[in-house]
Amino acid sequence: MPAQRTSAPALPTLGGQKRNYRERVADALRAALIAGELRPGEVYSAPTLAARFGVSATPVREAMLDLVKEGMVDTVPNKGFRVTAVSEKQLDEYTHIRSLIEIPTTAGLATTADPVALEALRPAAEETVTAAAAGDLIAHVEADTRFHLGLLALAGNEHLVEVVRDLRKRSRLYGLHALVEAGRLEDSAQEHLEILDALIARDEEAVRAVMTRHLGHVRGLWAAG
């Protein structure tokens, strides 16, 4: 398991956002967990996290209770919330299931998806690149999630989307920090645009190849930290 960090997580400031704080905070916390900004075994208090978000402690505490139900954190009485650990075996299993679902489903969209619907996902794909270039891991993970779940939604199977959403929540990408420091995360993010362009070109084999490479990073480039 990667060495634990003791510094405060680099969470976004959410004060002034119109969107429901609890939902926004919960999404950002999930992304922070996945990206390794919140580390396994460490205890975080709601007031401390709230200060990072720029909101009151109440929506943070409520969001963390949502994450308790999802198994991402445990409550620590009178202290806060401890991030749960995920084993290498579990991560391998989650990634294997994702590959079985996401690669063929996304490749199949090359012959079925509406080009207009595909183009609507370009902003999310571009946001992953922008966030990667800025070293904003939380924004990168959130945009990455919107892009891939948006693609899967075009297949018309809501249950499939929820299964992958759950698997993504359980994943941990501790290697993202190292990729940012090495200046390589932006190149990885560009694969989202490759996938989109191949889909619009109706090139199913190209989509399958890029998706296979892309998901391979989950337990390769993006995992080691």
Side-chain angles (χ1 to χ4, degrees), residues 7-154:
S7 58
L11 298 175
T13 299
L14 301 177
Q17 293 284 342
K18 294 182 179 179
R19 185 181 171 193
N20 178 282
Y21 281 159
R22 177 172 178 166
E23 293 178 2
R24 180 69 181 91
V25 171
D27 285 346
L29 283 169
R30 290 187 190 96
L33 284 160
I34 293 168
E37 296 286 0
L38 302 179
R39 306 296 285 187
E42 292 193 23
V43 177
Y44 299 91
S45 70
T48 298
L49 291 175
R52 301 292 300 184
F53 279 108
V55 298
S56 69
T58 298
V60 174
R61 187 174 294 108
E62 291 175 344
M64 292 298 277
L65 289 174
D66 289 340
L67 300 190
V68 169
K69 295 176 184 177
E70 296 172 12
M72 299 184 78
V73 298
D74 295 321
T75 55
V76 180
N78 303 317
K79 292 186 178 181
F81 303 88
R82 178 183 290 112
V83 178
T84 57
V86 181
S87 72
E88 296 294 314
K89 183 176 184 295
Q90 288 174 309
L91 291 175
D92 287 339
E93 291 172 347
Y94 301 154
T95 305
H96 179 60
I97 298 170
R98 284 185 58 190
S99 68
L100 292 175
I101 296 173
E102 292 188 64
I103 294 173
T105 301
T106 304
L109 293 174
T111 58
T112 63
D114 179 357
V116 174
L118 289 170
E119 274 297 339
L121 292 171
R122 190 171 295 277
E126 292 174 340
E127 187 177 340
T128 67
V129 179
T130 301
D136 188 341
L137 298 185
I138 294 176
H140 175 75
V141 170
E142 288 187 308
D144 177 79
T145 299
R146 288 198 306 275
F147 175 76
H148 286 288
L149 294 185
L151 278 181
L152 294 175
L154 297 181

